[in-house]
Amino acid sequence: MRLRVEFTTEPFDLDEAPAHAVVARDIVTGAELDAVDVGPFGNTAEGEAEQVLGAVADLLRGSLEAGATRVSLQVNVIAAAAAPEGSET
């Protein structure tokens, strides 16, 4: 199963990335995930379920320990890529 996670950490600071945001960014960019997109107002990443769920657990722990007062996230199941014609799934 493939998953997409979208998340933000708070409180926001538009002048400088807070420690909790840096920790969360480092966790998702360091995980074995696909299509990681990190931005100032939201972050997304995709990957296999085990990798996404592991990264979510790590980013929750890490960002809360680094001072986040709120972490908002959404996890969606995404359609698996179609297997090439003639291959077995």
PDB file of all heavy atoms in Angstrom, residues 3-20:
ATOM      1  N   LEU A   3       1.095   5.429   0.635  1.00  0.00           N
ATOM      2  CA  LEU A   3       0.449   6.479   1.407  1.00  0.00           C
ATOM      3  C   LEU A   3       1.039   7.840   1.062  1.00  0.00           C
ATOM      4  O   LEU A   3       2.207   7.937   0.679  1.00  0.00           O
ATOM      5  CB  LEU A   3       0.632   6.233   2.908  1.00  0.00           C
ATOM      6  CG  LEU A   3       0.107   4.928   3.480  1.00  0.00           C
ATOM      7  CD1 LEU A   3       0.481   4.815   4.950  1.00  0.00           C
ATOM      8  CD2 LEU A   3      -1.385   4.809   3.287  1.00  0.00           C
ATOM      9  N   ARG A   4       0.218   8.861   1.238  1.00  0.00           N
ATOM     10  CA  ARG A   4       0.685  10.253   1.147  1.00  0.00           C
ATOM     11  C   ARG A   4       0.383  10.905   2.485  1.00  0.00           C
ATOM     12  O   ARG A   4      -0.733  10.816   2.992  1.00  0.00           O
ATOM     13  CB  ARG A   4      -0.032  11.026   0.052  1.00  0.00           C
ATOM     14  CG  ARG A   4       0.348  12.518   0.034  1.00  0.00           C
ATOM     15  CD  ARG A   4      -0.422  13.324  -0.994  1.00  0.00           C
ATOM     16  NE  ARG A   4      -0.107  12.852  -2.326  1.00  0.00           N
ATOM     17  CZ  ARG A   4      -1.013  12.400  -3.195  1.00  0.00           C
ATOM     18  NH1 ARG A   4      -2.302  12.369  -2.876  1.00  0.00           N
ATOM     19  NH2 ARG A   4      -0.645  11.984  -4.387  1.00  0.00           N
ATOM     20  N   VAL A   5       1.380  11.553   3.065  1.00  0.00           N
ATOM     21  CA  VAL A   5       1.189  12.295   4.299  1.00  0.00           C
ATOM     22  C   VAL A   5       1.371  13.778   4.002  1.00  0.00           C
ATOM     23  O   VAL A   5       2.259  14.163   3.243  1.00  0.00           O
ATOM     24  CB  VAL A   5       2.146  11.832   5.419  1.00  0.00           C
ATOM     25  CG1 VAL A   5       3.602  12.040   5.051  1.00  0.00           C
ATOM     26  CG2 VAL A   5       1.831  12.525   6.730  1.00  0.00           C
ATOM     27  N   GLU A   6       0.473  14.577   4.570  1.00  0.00           N
ATOM     28  CA  GLU A   6       0.577  16.032   4.515  1.00  0.00           C
ATOM     29  C   GLU A   6       0.610  16.498   5.962  1.00  0.00           C
ATOM     30  O   GLU A   6      -0.211  16.050   6.765  1.00  0.00           O
ATOM     31  CB  GLU A   6      -0.626  16.639   3.804  1.00  0.00           C
ATOM     32  CG  GLU A   6      -0.788  16.151   2.385  1.00  0.00           C
ATOM     33  CD  GLU A   6      -2.079  16.667   1.753  1.00  0.00           C
ATOM     34  OE1 GLU A   6      -2.380  17.873   1.910  1.00  0.00           O
ATOM     35  OE2 GLU A   6      -2.776  15.853   1.139  1.00  0.00           O
ATOM     36  N   PHE A   7       1.553  17.408   6.302  1.00  0.00           N
ATOM     37  CA  PHE A   7       1.633  17.828   7.696  1.00  0.00           C
ATOM     38  C   PHE A   7       2.165  19.250   7.832  1.00  0.00           C
ATOM     39  O   PHE A   7       2.845  19.763   6.947  1.00  0.00           O
ATOM     40  CB  PHE A   7       2.512  16.862   8.504  1.00  0.00           C
ATOM     41  CG  PHE A   7       3.962  16.900   8.130  1.00  0.00           C
ATOM     42  CD1 PHE A   7       4.842  17.734   8.809  1.00  0.00           C
ATOM     43  CD2 PHE A   7       4.452  16.116   7.110  1.00  0.00           C
ATOM     44  CE1 PHE A   7       6.184  17.776   8.463  1.00  0.00           C
ATOM     45  CE2 PHE A   7       5.787  16.148   6.757  1.00  0.00           C
ATOM     46  CZ  PHE A   7       6.654  16.981   7.440  1.00  0.00           C
ATOM     47  N   THR A   8       1.830  19.854   8.957  1.00  0.00           N
ATOM     48  CA  THR A   8       2.387  21.134   9.375  1.00  0.00           C
ATOM     49  C   THR A   8       2.684  21.048  10.862  1.00  0.00           C
ATOM     50  O   THR A   8       2.058  20.264  11.590  1.00  0.00           O
ATOM     51  CB  THR A   8       1.416  22.315   9.143  1.00  0.00           C
ATOM     52  OG1 THR A   8       0.207  22.063   9.852  1.00  0.00           O
ATOM     53  CG2 THR A   8       1.114  22.509   7.678  1.00  0.00           C
ATOM     54  N   THR A   9       3.654  21.836  11.286  1.00  0.00           N
ATOM     55  CA  THR A   9       3.962  21.947  12.706  1.00  0.00           C
ATOM     56  C   THR A   9       3.766  23.400  13.112  1.00  0.00           C
ATOM     57  O   THR A   9       3.933  24.310  12.305  1.00  0.00           O
ATOM     58  CB  THR A   9       5.405  21.494  13.011  1.00  0.00           C
ATOM     59  OG1 THR A   9       6.330  22.335  12.321  1.00  0.00           O
ATOM     60  CG2 THR A   9       5.628  20.040  12.627  1.00  0.00           C
ATOM     61  N   GLU A  10       3.398  23.600  14.355  1.00  0.00           N
ATOM     62  CA  GLU A  10       3.166  24.948  14.871  1.00  0.00           C
ATOM     63  C   GLU A  10       3.860  25.088  16.215  1.00  0.00           C
ATOM     64  O   GLU A  10       4.097  24.092  16.879  1.00  0.00           O
ATOM     65  CB  GLU A  10       1.664  25.191  15.040  1.00  0.00           C
ATOM     66  CG  GLU A  10       0.906  25.170  13.724  1.00  0.00           C
ATOM     67  CD  GLU A  10      -0.580  25.364  13.912  1.00  0.00           C
ATOM     68  OE1 GLU A  10      -0.960  26.212  14.767  1.00  0.00           O
ATOM     69  OE2 GLU A  10      -1.352  24.687  13.229  1.00  0.00           O
ATOM     70  N   PRO A  11       4.181  26.284  16.649  1.00  0.00           N
ATOM     71  CA  PRO A  11       3.780  27.578  16.124  1.00  0.00           C
ATOM     72  C   PRO A  11       4.613  27.990  14.911  1.00  0.00           C
ATOM     73  O   PRO A  11       5.744  27.541  14.722  1.00  0.00           O
ATOM     74  CB  PRO A  11       4.018  28.532  17.298  1.00  0.00           C
ATOM     75  CG  PRO A  11       5.111  27.894  18.090  1.00  0.00           C
ATOM     76  CD  PRO A  11       4.923  26.407  17.920  1.00  0.00           C
ATOM     77  N   PHE A  12       4.000  28.817  14.076  1.00  0.00           N
ATOM     78  CA  PHE A  12       4.661  29.333  12.882  1.00  0.00           C
ATOM     79  C   PHE A  12       5.599  30.473  13.250  1.00  0.00           C
ATOM     80  O   PHE A  12       5.357  31.205  14.196  1.00  0.00           O
ATOM     81  CB  PHE A  12       3.630  29.888  11.881  1.00  0.00           C
ATOM     82  CG  PHE A  12       2.726  28.841  11.318  1.00  0.00           C
ATOM     83  CD1 PHE A  12       1.384  28.832  11.640  1.00  0.00           C
ATOM     84  CD2 PHE A  12       3.201  27.873  10.448  1.00  0.00           C
ATOM     85  CE1 PHE A  12       0.529  27.885  11.117  1.00  0.00           C
ATOM     86  CE2 PHE A  12       2.367  26.912   9.922  1.00  0.00           C
ATOM     87  CZ  PHE A  12       1.021  26.917  10.257  1.00  0.00           C
ATOM     88  N   ASP A  13       6.637  30.628  12.470  1.00  0.00           N
ATOM     89  CA  ASP A  13       7.522  31.792  12.552  1.00  0.00           C
ATOM     90  C   ASP A  13       7.942  32.087  11.127  1.00  0.00           C
ATOM     91  O   ASP A  13       8.676  31.311  10.524  1.00  0.00           O
ATOM     92  CB  ASP A  13       8.735  31.498  13.425  1.00  0.00           C
ATOM     93  CG  ASP A  13       9.635  32.700  13.607  1.00  0.00           C
ATOM     94  OD1 ASP A  13       9.532  33.670  12.812  1.00  0.00           O
ATOM     95  OD2 ASP A  13      10.465  32.684  14.540  1.00  0.00           O
ATOM     96  N   LEU A  14       7.444  33.172  10.576  1.00  0.00           N
ATOM     97  CA  LEU A  14       7.734  33.497   9.177  1.00  0.00           C
ATOM     98  C   LEU A  14       9.125  34.068   8.977  1.00  0.00           C
ATOM     99  O   LEU A  14       9.624  34.106   7.857  1.00  0.00           O
ATOM    100  CB  LEU A  14       6.670  34.454   8.628  1.00  0.00           C
ATOM    101  CG  LEU A  14       5.259  33.875   8.581  1.00  0.00           C
ATOM    102  CD1 LEU A  14       4.276  34.909   8.061  1.00  0.00           C
ATOM    103  CD2 LEU A  14       5.212  32.616   7.730  1.00  0.00           C
ATOM    104  N   ASP A  15       9.773  34.524  10.050  1.00  0.00           N
ATOM    105  CA  ASP A  15      11.114  35.091   9.919  1.00  0.00           C
ATOM    106  C   ASP A  15      12.201  34.028   9.885  1.00  0.00           C
ATOM    107  O   ASP A  15      13.204  34.178   9.208  1.00  0.00           O
ATOM    108  CB  ASP A  15      11.398  36.067  11.066  1.00  0.00           C
ATOM    109  CG  ASP A  15      10.490  37.282  11.017  1.00  0.00           C
ATOM    110  OD1 ASP A  15      10.126  37.703   9.899  1.00  0.00           O
ATOM    111  OD2 ASP A  15      10.135  37.791  12.102  1.00  0.00           O
ATOM    112  N   GLU A  16      11.998  32.969  10.632  1.00  0.00           N
ATOM    113  CA  GLU A  16      13.015  31.924  10.747  1.00  0.00           C
ATOM    114  C   GLU A  16      12.333  30.599  11.036  1.00  0.00           C
ATOM    115  O   GLU A  16      11.394  30.540  11.830  1.00  0.00           O
ATOM    116  CB  GLU A  16      13.961  32.288  11.897  1.00  0.00           C
ATOM    117  CG  GLU A  16      15.099  31.339  12.095  1.00  0.00           C
ATOM    118  CD  GLU A  16      16.018  31.819  13.214  1.00  0.00           C
ATOM    119  OE1 GLU A  16      16.147  33.024  13.423  1.00  0.00           O
ATOM    120  OE2 GLU A  16      16.595  30.946  13.876  1.00  0.00           O
ATOM    121  N   ALA A  17      12.815  29.543  10.401  1.00  0.00           N
ATOM    122  CA  ALA A  17      12.228  28.214  10.639  1.00  0.00           C
ATOM    123  C   ALA A  17      12.479  27.802  12.085  1.00  0.00           C
ATOM    124  O   ALA A  17      13.630  27.753  12.523  1.00  0.00           O
ATOM    125  CB  ALA A  17      12.823  27.197   9.681  1.00  0.00           C
ATOM    126  N   PRO A  18      11.404  27.509  12.838  1.00  0.00           N
ATOM    127  CA  PRO A  18      11.594  27.066  14.215  1.00  0.00           C
ATOM    128  C   PRO A  18      12.227  25.678  14.271  1.00  0.00           C
ATOM    129  O   PRO A  18      12.164  24.908  13.313  1.00  0.00           O
ATOM    130  CB  PRO A  18      10.177  27.048  14.798  1.00  0.00           C
ATOM    131  CG  PRO A  18       9.243  27.269  13.673  1.00  0.00           C
ATOM    132  CD  PRO A  18      10.016  27.646  12.468  1.00  0.00           C
ATOM    133  N   ALA A  19      12.804  25.383  15.409  1.00  0.00           N
ATOM    134  CA  ALA A  19      13.504  24.100  15.576  1.00  0.00           C
ATOM    135  C   ALA A  19      12.610  22.917  15.257  1.00  0.00           C
ATOM    136  O   ALA A  19      13.047  21.954  14.617  1.00  0.00           O
ATOM    137  CB  ALA A  19      14.058  23.987  16.996  1.00  0.00           C
ATOM    138  N   HIS A  20      11.352  22.955  15.668  1.00  0.00           N
ATOM    139  CA  HIS A  20      10.459  21.816  15.414  1.00  0.00           C
ATOM    140  C   HIS A  20      10.214  21.614  13.927  1.00  0.00           C
ATOM    141  O   HIS A  20      10.092  20.487  13.463  1.00  0.00           O
ATOM    142  CB  HIS A  20       9.137  21.966  16.172  1.00  0.00           C
ATOM    143  CG  HIS A  20       8.369  23.197  15.854  1.00  0.00           C
ATOM    144  ND1 HIS A  20       7.584  23.336  14.734  1.00  0.00           N
ATOM    145  CD2 HIS A  20       8.288  24.365  16.528  1.00  0.00           C
ATOM    146  CE1 HIS A  20       7.034  24.534  14.744  1.00  0.00           C
ATOM    147  NE2 HIS A  20       7.445  25.190  15.816  1.00  0.00           N
TER     148      HIS A  20
END
